Amino acid sequence: MAGAQTPIALRDALVAQPRAVSAYVGEAFVSHRGEPLPIADPATGKVIVILHESDAGEVDAAVRAARHAFDHGPWPKSGIATRQRVLMAIHDAIMTHADELAALESINTGVPLAQTRGMHIPRAAYNFKFFAEYINHSAGELYQQEEGFLTLVSREPMGVCALIGPWNVPLGLTSMKLAAALAFGNTCVVKPSEMTPLTVARLFELMRDCGLPEGVVNLVNGRGHVTGAALSGHPEIDMVSFTGGTETGRAIMTALAKGIKGSAMELGGKSANIVFDDADFDRALDGALLGVFANNGQMCLAGSRIFVQRPIAERFMEAFAARMRNLRIGDPLVPGNELGPMINAAQKQRMRDYVRIGESEGATLLAGGGSVTGMESGHYVQPVAMLAQDNGARLCQEEIFGPFATFQVFDTEEEVVRLANESRFGLAGYVWTEGLGRAHRVAQALRTGTIWVNTPMVRDLRSAFGGYKESGVGREGGRGCEAMYTEIKTVMVPVAERAIHKLGASDA
């Protein structure tokens, strides 16, 4: 695939000859061809990928390759310098092919090219660089408090890790799992979403020249109930890391419980975005728009529940709706466009359905909700803003996963904390206020894993990221991934001779 192709030319080439994507087992893409699944470009509706689904047999081959590489290969016992060289080689390969990968990501997901090239692909590369640096400073523990003993605590690779990525940020989020699992010496079987396989498959092509031993990384493709179920239920995996919907996460955890396997789940969200009347109005408005509409609104940490304090509520909602109407909707490959299509027809219909649901619950449509004229071949929708009357309404409690903002008006700090916490999710939250004390009080009171104060979403990979309640189990980030992808071993060694009680040695 020529890196010099323009994004439009690359799309045209994929339409003319849809790319076949298959599994990667051991050190090569396999010749076996499972059930072909056509994958369409969400912007045009034209088929760009023929995905060959991995059945249980193909999943078994991939897991066994990873198991053999872990039990008998050099990677788990390799030195830190070796792992760092490989991780940095992958980083460099991603950055060398960043333009191509960004174009593939935009074509496959519908996310505007400015976002995939500016954020998603650099983040995917940085994941490998970060963990290459992190493992150089990872340390064990030594305890000397027990008289006469040294107690050594070390971390060892977990084993065979099943890494199941999402469709909304396929390379950026799947690479986080892969970089961390590899850094700590594990072997892997990766399953990207069947809807967005292009960039992960391309990454596997690039990794072939980065120094990984045979069997350390393996790729399977397919739907959750076929490929995903075979992978999460396989007896030879040691853990599953999954990013996706809460119901799918619950099903995976149920399967893992049968084998007492570990899991890390980053699941759904319905994040509160709280705007107090003392906030920097323009900054809060910019942040709220970005928090709902970045990545086409299809992100689990979207600040889609916007709470605005009454004195500024009417002005804020009017300004939000006006800016929303001016969003440039169109082909994600065209520079300047800010909102692309939904991933598929089901997500497009979901947006329409929730407008009707909201109106049936007494919510007021502030703006949006119509069709996008002239773009009927793709899954384009107008973004939506609605004013809800009841925090218990479906509009306020269910994850819509699209460019859909739900407003509520509040009066007091105590009231908005209560409303924000009345959710089965707890992934992220946003607080906009010029009051330092208020910012800390609200941040401490919110039952959510990550809170951004006076800023839209940013990630520091040194810190933990994950959710409370039904938003997940476990944390990603430096220490979180170290806990996720390693086992802890304790070794006690006597440093002074100690008498051992001699059972059965006494004269009867």
Side-chain angles (χ1 to χ4, degrees):
M1 189 176 294
Q5 284 181 296
T6 67
I8 296 293
L10 180 54
R11 173 198 278 159
D12 291 342
L14 290 170
V15 169
Q17 182 60 59
R19 182 171 184 193
V21 173
S22 61
Y24 184 95
V25 178
E27 59 180 351
F29 287 94
V30 299
S31 58
H32 172 74
R33 293 291 185 262
E35 180 178 348
L37 303 175
I39 309 298
D41 170 10
T44 66
K46 296 178 180 178
V47 173
I48 54 172
V49 178
I50 301 298
L51 185 72
H52 296 281
E53 187 166 62
S54 299
D55 59 12
E58 196 160 271
V59 169
D60 180 67
V63 173
R64 292 189 182 281
R67 171 55 61 194
H68 186 272
F70 185 81
D71 291 343
H72 305 289
W75 185 253
K77 299 178 179 63
S78 61
I80 295 302
T82 297
R83 295 183 203 164
Q84 287 180 311
R85 282 195 298 271
V86 171
L87 292 171
M88 286 307 300
I90 299 172
H91 164 274
D92 294 346
I94 292 173
M95 292 309 299
T96 298
H97 296 269
D99 290 338
E100 175 196 358
L101 289 167
L104 288 173
E105 193 94 323
S106 289
I107 293 166
N108 207 173
T109 64
V111 174
L113 188 62
Q115 297 177 36
T116 60
R117 184 62 182 88
M119 294 182 289
H120 297 185
I121 304 307
R123 162 66 191 279
Y126 179 67
N127 288 334
F128 290 93
K129 181 180 180 181
F130 172 83
F131 282 104
E133 296 170 347
Y134 182 90
I135 56 176
N136 202 42
H137 301 280
S138 182
E141 303 165 19
L142 170 66
Y143 298 97
Q144 297 174 279
Q145 290 87 337
E146 189 68 27
E147 185 178 354
F149 282 90
L150 292 181
T151 302
L152 309 173
V153 180
S154 61
R155 290 187 175 272
E156 298 182 351
M158 175 69 70
V160 177
C161 300
L163 310 177
I164 304 177
W167 55 259
N168 59 327
V169 189
L171 190 60
L173 297 183
T174 305
S175 63
M176 175 76 174
K177 303 176 187 299
L178 184 58
L182 291 175
F184 296 112
N186 298 283
T187 61
C188 310
V189 180
V190 178
K191 192 199 91 67
S193 168
E194 69 276 14
M195 291 185 281
T196 53
L198 271 178
T199 49
V200 176
R202 181 64 176 132
L203 175 63
F204 269 73
E205 291 179 349
L206 298 175
M207 288 194 296
R208 286 188 292 188
D209 298 324
C210 291
L212 284 165
E214 180 178 350
V216 172
V217 294
N218 303 270
L219 174 69
V220 294
N221 292 284
R223 294 165 292 182
H225 70 279
V226 178
T227 311
L231 182 58
S232 59
H234 198 288
E236 290 294 328
I237 63 166
D238 294 296
M239 65 88 69
V240 173
S241 175
F242 169 74
T243 297
T246 297
E247 291 307 314
T248 303
R250 183 176 286 113
I252 292 172
M253 292 182 72
T254 299
L256 292 172
K258 297 177 183 178
I260 319 297
K261 306 287 187 178
S263 67
M265 302 281 147
E266 199 246 279
L267 306 176
K270 190 72 174 178
S271 299
N273 195 341
I274 302 171
V275 183
F276 287 97
D277 59 5
D278 67 342
D280 181 323
F281 186 94
D282 292 332
R283 183 173 176 82
L285 179 61
D286 291 340
L289 287 157
L290 190 62
V292 180
F293 300 131
N295 212 65
N296 296 342
Q298 298 175 135
M299 51 185 177
C300 53
L301 44 74
S304 56
R305 283 195 301 156
I306 305 177
F307 296 92
V308 189
Q309 201 161 20
R310 193 172 301 278
I312 64 168
E314 184 174 351
R315 178 187 168 209
F316 192 91
M317 289 187 289
E318 287 177 354
F320 185 98
R323 289 274 294 276
M324 191 186 82
R325 293 187 189 98
N326 286 334
L327 286 171
R328 294 187 292 275
I329 306 171
D331 188 335
L333 302 185
V334 173
N337 283 339
E338 299 168 304
L339 199 67
M342 298 293 92
I343 188 65
N344 55 29
Q347 287 297 116
K348 179 179 180 179
Q349 185 60 45
R350 186 175 177 84
M351 287 281 293
R352 293 171 172 169
D353 290 344
Y354 270 94
V355 172
R356 290 194 290 269
I357 290 169
E359 290 174 336
S360 72
E361 295 176 326
T364 302
L365 181 65
L366 301 176
S371 58
V372 181
T373 305
M375 310 199 77
E376 290 78 12
S377 61
H379 305 306
Y380 292 92
V381 296
Q382 285 188 357
V384 176
M386 298 192 81
L387 174 61
Q389 303 301 319
D390 181 4
N391 191 51
R394 291 180 62 186
L395 205 62
C396 302
Q397 294 297 319
E398 298 177 4
E399 186 176 33
I400 300 173
F401 219 71
F404 198 121
T406 302
F407 281 91
Q408 294 183 71
V409 178
F410 72 93
D411 291 297
T412 67
E413 180 181 313
E414 293 75 14
E415 177 192 12
V416 75
V417 167
R418 174 181 59 80
L419 292 172
N421 284 337
E422 287 177 354
S423 172
R424 62 192 179 99
F425 298 110
L427 185 59
Y430 306 77
V431 179
W432 302 87
T433 177
E434 292 297 288
L436 180 61
R438 169 181 277 171
H440 281 290
R441 285 194 306 273
V442 175
Q444 290 172 6
L446 293 177
R447 296 285 295 164
T448 190
T450 297
I451 298 165
W452 289 289
V453 177
N454 294 335
T455 182
M457 61 198 78
V458 293
R459 285 286 302 276
D460 183 338
L461 296 190
R462 286 164 286 268
S463 66
F465 181 81
Y468 287 26
K469 300 182 277 189
E470 292 189 24
S471 285
V473 176
R475 295 293 187 269
E476 290 189 330
R479 291 183 183 177
C481 285
E482 187 171 11
M484 186 187 307
Y485 294 111
T486 62
E487 293 275 23
I488 298 175
K489 177 173 285 184
T490 298
V491 178
M492 295 188 70
V493 180
V495 294
E497 190 167 337
R498 293 171 59 101
I500 300 176
H501 186 66
K502 299 179 181 299
L503 290 175
S506 60
D507 294 332

